[in-house]
Amino acid sequence: MTLRIAVTGATSDFARAILPGLLDDDDVESVVGIARRRTPLVHPKLQSVRSDIRSPEMEHIFRGCDVVVHLAFVVEELRDKRTTHDINQRGSRNVLDSAYRAGVRRMVIASSINAYGPDIHDEPLTEKDYPAGDPDRYYFHDKAEVEHYAEWWLRRHPGEMAVSMLRPTYIIGPDFSNDGIDQFTSTIGAFPQADRASYQFLHQHDLADAFHRAVKQDLDGPYNVGPRDWTGVRELAAMQGQKLFDVPERAAVVAANIAFRLGLTPFSGQWVTAGEPVVDSTALHTATGWSPTLTSRECAAIMILLQGRPILLPEYALERDAACEAALAPASAVVGVAAGEHVQLRTPDGSVHCELHRGGGRRTIVLPARPGSHARYCTPLAVELRERGYDVVAVDPPGHGLSTGPRGRVDQAQFDRAVTEAVEYARRTFGGPISIVVDEGSRSPSPDDPLVPKRVRGRVSVATYISARTIDDVIAHIGPAGAATSQAASSAPQTIRG
């Protein structure tokens, strides 16, 4: 099976999440990326076409394509709602009709759970619940209207072209940045019905997986796309120490409308809601086998961390490997490697994140990251050491990386307690002699990495630990991984002064 796929809205955040997986698929021959601007992504399979989805040339662009993925939609609020509705509704109708006339076999439309409307419900909604939208909220209304047209079209053309509508919950990830995420992670939050308001946060990798599956099989009708759990806004506030206020919805809408008219905020009262409806995504799992790899709670923590905000409470620290790697993705792209297992160690100061590399040798090395950095920048050295047979435990200082605590705040006592806890964990896990080594040759942290604190508060010295720039420096200090050691050497960590 070889597929030629057309993707509208190819410069959107959705496209940034979805396109890489399609382009890496051997079953995909080529992708036509359609947007009003040229797509910045460069790939030998990708052809960039500049066009408006309302244009009659859509039919010509779609000819020869097997699948159309429709992502183009006005999300960021425009003052001109007539233009907004024209792009969203007439443009979407044109995409569907043009795809059919061009002989496309399958179409996947990016809808939203906002098509259900803004009301909170006591039970999770399923595809059997009607997408009522909300005529007073342009985004909710337009998503519902596009679905209504697609459903009408399917009844008029049974079996002629598969048309599915995927309804994602709230998307987070390194490619997603918007006013909503800024509000979720601000130091002060305000929500109507704060005791009831909740969201289902979904990682962009899980979103991309859902679209990828829909592209490769015939599906008709709507499908919810969300995690099994949900996160209340009060819990979200507790995770990061946000001050949260419960505000009357009507007053909040009026205030947002005034601020929008005055140009003080990028959104009006049309976006002020008491959370979002919770949905059940069983239908998509049954049809395609799709399941989310991350929970809403994990995604909430990732969102907070990717915004440079702290996770303050140990119970919210990321633990599962998949969640940790999702949060570390920007740093992994910088160092060029993603490896290791992840553990969280409880200390009097909170939770300390460690990255484990099992080399199966008789020596263990604890690699504490310097303040101002985090353990992922030690991963290249850790991988080299593992390949030489060393067991390695890389450590995030408190307030850094995936460890809890105010961002960048760590003093000598906190740092030493974190290292001591990592040494004790290494002794319990691996046994044998343990050496503490500071990686002086690691890559400088990227200023664009949100897990690197903008400022380090506190003075920490690492002069009591071994200092090394290369793996040869490490071996010169502590010897090869399989070397025999005395009982005395194995009873305490080596803290040779550099």
Side-chain angles (χ1 to χ4, degrees):
M1 175 178 61
T2 57
L3 297 173
R4 179 170 172 81
I5 302 171
V7 178
T8 70
T11 57
S12 65
D13 47 12
F14 268 52
R16 287 195 297 272
I18 293 167
L19 280 175
L22 298 179
L23 294 168
D24 289 343
D25 189 336
D26 292 337
D27 291 334
V28 176
E29 177 184 353
S30 61
V31 175
V32 181
I34 306 160
R36 287 185 290 181
R37 306 186 309 276
R38 185 173 182 83
T39 177
L41 181 62
V42 177
H43 193 280
K45 290 184 181 180
L46 179 63
Q47 174 191 359
S48 181
V49 175
R50 297 180 64 179
S51 187
D52 189 304
I53 59 172
R54 297 168 291 181
S55 169
E57 68 178 355
M58 283 293 107
E59 180 180 345
H60 173 72
I61 294 172
F62 291 155
R63 290 217 173 268
C65 291
D66 303 289
V67 184
V68 169
V69 179
H70 179 40
L71 306 178
F73 214 79
V74 176
V75 181
E76 300 297 327
E77 187 164 3
L78 304 178
R79 295 184 183 278
D80 184 353
K81 296 301 186 290
R82 180 175 297 179
T83 297
T84 298
H85 295 312
D86 189 58
I87 295 172
N88 289 344
Q89 296 187 40
R90 185 167 69 88
S92 296
R93 291 195 298 269
N94 184 53
V95 168
L96 196 160
D97 293 338
S98 297
Y100 173 66
R101 291 193 300 268
V104 171
R105 294 188 289 111
R106 188 177 302 143
M107 183 170 178
V108 182
I109 298 173
S111 188
S112 167
I113 63 164
N114 294 132
Y116 285 117
D119 294 337
I120 300 175
H121 299 267
D122 293 331
E123 298 293 334
L125 301 180
T126 71
E127 291 78 3
K128 294 180 180 179
D129 291 289
Y130 182 71
D134 185 336
D136 294 327
R137 303 175 192 272
Y138 73 93
Y139 183 78
F140 299 63
H141 176 70
D142 288 353
K143 285 295 186 185
E145 288 299 303
V146 171
E147 284 201 16
H148 297 162
Y149 182 77
E151 292 278 17
W152 173 85
W153 190 95
L154 283 169
R155 290 192 295 272
R156 290 282 301 272
H157 301 271
E160 297 182 37
M161 181 173 72
V163 181
S164 59
M165 297 150 273
L166 301 192
R167 297 170 175 162
T169 56
Y170 207 104
I171 311 300
I172 65 96
D175 290 318
F176 283 75
S177 177
N178 52 56
D179 302 317
I181 290 176
D182 290 343
Q183 293 295 313
F184 288 135
T185 58
S186 61
T187 56
I188 299 175
F191 283 90
Q193 301 184 56
D195 291 330
R196 296 185 65 203
S198 65
Y199 292 84
Q200 288 174 288
F201 295 108
L202 181 72
H203 196 272
Q204 66 178 65
H205 292 165
D206 288 328
L207 170 80
D209 181 37
F211 273 82
H212 199 158
R213 291 168 186 263
V215 160
K216 300 184 72 171
Q217 66 185 93
D218 289 341
L219 300 172
D220 280 331
Y223 289 89
N224 298 330
V225 187
R228 297 180 181 90
D229 63 327
W230 51 90
T231 307
V233 296
R234 289 209 181 277
E235 182 179 26
L236 184 66
M239 294 170 72
Q240 58 188 310
Q242 181 189 63
K243 293 182 179 179
L244 182 65
F245 297 93
D246 193 331
V247 296
E249 184 169 352
R250 184 180 298 276
V253 168
V254 171
N257 284 335
I258 293 173
F260 182 68
R261 284 197 295 270
L262 295 176
L264 301 177
T265 61
F267 59 89
S268 73
Q270 296 197 25
W271 285 101
V272 175
T273 66
E276 290 183 337
V278 171
V279 298
D280 182 307
S281 302
T282 302
L284 184 64
H285 173 76
T286 301
T288 69
W290 178 86
S291 290
T293 60
L294 302 175
T295 67
S296 175
R297 181 163 153 172
E298 288 171 331
C299 289
I302 292 168
M303 174 182 66
I304 291 167
L305 290 168
L306 291 181
Q307 287 288 100
R309 292 278 292 158
I311 297 296
L312 295 180
L313 301 178
E315 56 265 37
Y316 296 116
L318 296 174
E319 296 184 1
R320 293 196 309 128
D321 288 351
C324 292
E325 289 298 337
L328 289 167
S332 300
V334 173
V335 301
V337 63
E341 305 167 40
H342 300 272
V343 297
Q344 291 282 353
L345 308 177
R346 295 295 177 92
T347 75
D349 305 303
S351 188
V352 171
H353 167 257
C354 295
E355 184 179 292
L356 273 62
H357 300 264
R358 300 177 186 270
R362 289 190 285 175
R363 286 181 179 271
T364 300
I365 296 172
V366 172
L367 281 177
R370 280 180 168 275
S373 183
H374 60 81
R376 182 43 46 103
Y377 292 91
C378 301
T379 302
L381 178 59
V383 169
E384 283 191 88
L385 290 167
R386 182 196 66 198
E387 292 173 350
R388 297 287 189 96
Y390 298 93
D391 295 314
V392 182
V393 179
V395 187
D396 282 335
H400 292 68
L402 303 183
S403 292
T404 62
R407 295 286 87 181
R409 292 185 184 177
V410 57
D411 58 27
Q412 188 71 55
Q414 292 170 327
F415 186 87
D416 290 342
R417 281 194 291 269
V419 173
T420 298
E421 191 60 43
V423 167
E424 291 303 316
Y425 177 82
R427 179 176 289 111
R428 295 191 305 269
T429 304
F430 301 118
I434 301 170
S435 300
I436 305 171
V437 177
V438 176
D439 181 7
E440 297 287 1
S442 61
R443 182 165 182 162
S444 298
S446 169
D448 297 325
D449 178 0
L451 299 188
V452 173
K454 301 299 182 185
R455 184 175 62 168
V456 177
R457 302 172 185 177
R459 301 183 64 180
V460 174
S461 171
V462 295
T464 58
Y465 306 130
I466 297 171
S467 176
R469 288 189 170 275
T470 66
I471 189 169
D472 292 332
D473 290 344
V474 176
I475 295 173
H477 274 296
I478 68 175
T485 57
S486 67
Q487 181 65 30
S490 66
S491 64
Q494 299 174 24
T495 54
I496 302 171
R497 292 182 179 275

